[in-house]
Amino acid sequence: MAPGGDPVSGATLEAHVVVRREGFVLDAEISASAGEIVAVMGPSGAGKSTLVSVIAGLLAITEGRVHVAGEVVSSPRVQLAPQRRGVVLLGQDPHLFPHLSARDNVAFGVRVSAGEGRAAGRVERRSRAERALAEVGLSGIGHRRPAELSGGQQQRVALARALATEPRVLLLDEPFTALDPVTVADIRRTLAERVRAAGCTTVFVTHDVVDAVAVADRLVVLEAGRVSQQGAVREVLTAPATDFVAALAGVNRVAGRVEDGVWGAGVLRLRAAGVRDGDAVALIPIGAVRLESEGSGASEGEAAGAGAAEPVRAAGTATWTARVERIEATPAGARVYTASPPVVCELTVAQMLAAETAEGDAVRLSVDAADVRIVAS
Amino acid sequence: MTVIAPGRHGQPRGFVPLALGVPAVLGLAVLVVPLTALVGRVDGATLWGDITSPAAVSALGLSLVTGALATLVCIVLGIPLALWIARSGPRLAGVLRAFVTVPLVLPPMVGGVALLFLLGRNGWLGQWLAVVGVRLPFTTAAVVIAQTFVALPFLVLAVEGALRATGTGYEQAAAALGAGRWRILWRITLPLAAPGLIAGTVLCFARAIGEFGATALFAGNAPGVTQTMPLAIYTAFNGAGVSQGTAVALSLLLLVTALAVLLAVRAWRPGATR
C-alpha cells in the first residue's frame, strides 16, 4: 500500500467485537489487511465509537476477539493494556496535553529505539517531532501551546503525534467533526497523504462520505450494532443495500416488484430486462431525477405525453407525475421529496426559483432509464 | 439607568446584585480589621528586641522546620491518597473524602488527645514503641506528627479536586501513545494538577505553622524542642511576668511569615501560559 516501497508499519487487524449493554448490542466483524484504510460509517448510535474503543483497549469486550498481527489483544479473558497494543486512537477531541508545546506533544509519542542513551534520545525525539510537524504542514509553530493553535492545527498536531508512535493500527473516530468545512478539506488531504506514507492499518470512523471516497480503500457500514454492508468504497456506494447507504451514496432506493420484465412501484414503471420476477429495488441517483412543475413549460409537457397519471416511456426516458411532500433546504439549494413512489430529487437555488414548487404541488419527474439500476431484493 | 461597565480586561463584570457589595465589604472587614488592631498594638520601642529574642528566633526556626517537614510528609502521603479518591467510583470516593474531612471539623485538641492515646506511653502503638525504646510524645517528631494530622486534609482535598476536574482523558491519550503508568503520572497527571497541588501545598504549610491545639497536647511546650510560634505566643500572652508586647510582636512575625509565603507562591506560576 505504501508508495515508493516505504516500510509498512501496519499490521493486520481482525476483530469480532461483541459488546452487550442494557438496550444495546454491538456484534460486528471488521478486518483490515496491513496498511489498508477502512472507513466505517453508520447512523448515530450504531456502535462505531464502541467498536474503536474496544480495538483501542479502552473498553472491555463481552464476547469475540480482536487480533492485531495475529496476536489476541482483546477477548473476554484477555485485555492487553492500551499502551501495549501499538494501536492509537485519534478522536474528535485531539486531547493535546495543554501544558506541553506542540513539539513536546509530538515528542511525547515519538518512539526511540532502546539502544540510544537518554540525552541522545531526547535530542532525537525533538528533531523527529519537528519533522513530523513539518510533514503535517505545521513548520515553525512547534513552540506554541495547544491553546494558541486553531482547531485544525490542533488536530494536525494530534495526527502528527499519533503517527510519531509508528502505530500498527491507527483508529480515527470522527476527527474532523468539530472543524469547519474549509479546514476539513485541507486536513483530509494531509491525513490521506501521511497515513499512506506511514503505511499503518487504519480504521476511519466518519459521517462524511467524502472521507470514505477520498481516503479509504474499503467501506464498512454499521447499522444498529451490525455490519449491514461492506466492500470496496466504490462497490458499496454504487450498489447500496440499505436505505442508509443509499442516502450516503445520493441514490434513491425505491422498493418495487418486477412482473414480466417490467419493474413497478406506484405510478412508475421501468423496463427491467434480465431481472427475475419478484421484489426488486430500483437505484435511481438523486442527481439523475429531473423536475418540472406541472403547468410550467406546457409545450414540453405535452410533447412528452398527454396522460399525466400514466407513466410514459419515450426514447428511454421515464416520466411521471408526483406530489411534493416536503422540501428541505440544503447548502446548495433544496431537496424535494415526492411520494408514491418515494423519490427524492435535488434542485439548485436557480432551479428552485424557476420551478416555483411548493409542498403539495404536483410536479413532473423524469429520469433516463440508462441511469437506473434494478436489482432483485 | 443601568450601565453595565466593562471590567478592567474588557469583559462585562457580570450581573450580580450590587447590594451584595455591603456584606462582601463587611466580610472582608471581619478578616482584616482584627489583624490591623493587632498591628496597632505593636510597641515600636520593644519590637526589634522582642522578635530577635532567642526564644522568638528559636520558636520561628522550629515552626519553619517542622512545618516544612510536615508539608513534605503530607505531599508524599497526600498525593497518592488524593489520586486514590479521585480515581474511585462516586461511592468509595464519598466515604474516603468523609474520612479525610473529619480532622478538619474536629477541634485540633481532640486530634492531640487521639494521638496521645495512639502513640502515648500507654497507647495502642506507643507501648510497643516504648519496648524498642522509641518515645514520641513531647518530642520534635511529635510536633511534625501533630501538624501532619491537621494539615493533611487541606492538601488532599485541594489535589483531589484538581485531579477530578482534569479527568482521565489526557491519561488515556498518553496511554494510547504508549506511555507507561509512571511516565503518565510524572509527565501528564501531576503537571495538569499543578495548580491544585501548589494551592494545596501552601494551605498545608500555612496550616502546619499555625497549628496549636494538637501540638500543645501531644508535643507539649518545651522551648527549643516543641515550642513552635503559636505556643510561644500563647506562653508569652499568659506567662507570668512577660509583657503582652512580646506576644504581639511574635504574632506579627507569624503573620508576616504567612503573608510572605502566600505572596511568593502567587508570584511564581508554573508554566506561565495557562
Side-chain angles (χ1 to χ4, degrees), chain A residues 222-239:
Chain A
L222 204 59
E223 290 183 68
R226 290 179 175 276
V227 175
S228 60
Q229 194 177 0
Q230 61 176 313
V233 178
R234 222 189 135 70
E235 231 170 70
V236 172
L237 292 178
T238 50

Side-chain angles (χ1 to χ4, degrees), chain A residues 14 76 81 130 158 218 245 258 269 273 290 293 317 324 330-331 338 343 356 360 377:
Chain A
E14 282 162 49
E130 244 353 307
R218 238 157 26 88
V245 184
V258 175
R269 299 278 178 281
R290 291 181 299 277
S293 49
T317 302
V324 174
T330 64
T338 66
V343 169
E356 285 182 359
S377 60

